[in-house]
Amino acid sequence: MSVYAIRYTDRAAQRREALPGAQRSALEQLEKQLCANPFAGARSNQDNSWSAFFAGGMITYVVSNRHIVINVIDLLAM
C-alpha cells in the first residue's frame, strides 16, 4: 500500500497550529498512522468522510486514492 500525504484546509491548519504541545504530538502520531492506513478511522454513514481521534481532539478527513492524499477538512480540539 502507498504512503498517503496529508493536506489541511485553511481552517483546520489554523486549528492545528494553535494546538498545545501535548495535543500536537498526539496529532502527529495519528498522522503517521493515517499515512500508512487512512482507513483506520471511522467512516461516516452520511457522506464519504472519515473521523479519527487523538488525545485531546479529532479530525475529519476525506481520502483520495487517485492522488494518494488525505484531505483534513476539520480539526476539533477538546
Side-chain angles (χ1 to χ4, degrees), residues 15-30:
R15 291 179 177 179
R16 182 182 189 274
E17 293 301 317
L19 288 175
Q23 283 180 310
R24 177 163 306 176
S25 294
L27 176 58
E28 289 170 355
Q29 289 298 317
L30 175 62

Side-chain angles (χ1 to χ4, degrees), residues 18-66:
L19 288 175
Q23 283 180 310
R24 177 163 306 176
S25 294
L27 176 58
E28 289 170 355
Q29 289 298 317
L30 175 62
E31 289 172 342
K32 289 177 186 177
Q33 294 170 359
L34 291 176
C35 283
N37 180 11
F39 306 106
R43 187 167 186 185
S44 171
N45 290 331
Q46 298 176 334
D47 56 23
N48 203 24
S49 68
W50 296 76
S51 297
F53 293 88
F54 61 95
M58 70 171 269
I59 60 171
T60 303
Y61 60 97
V62 293
V63 179
S64 171
N65 288 317
R66 182 176 183 187

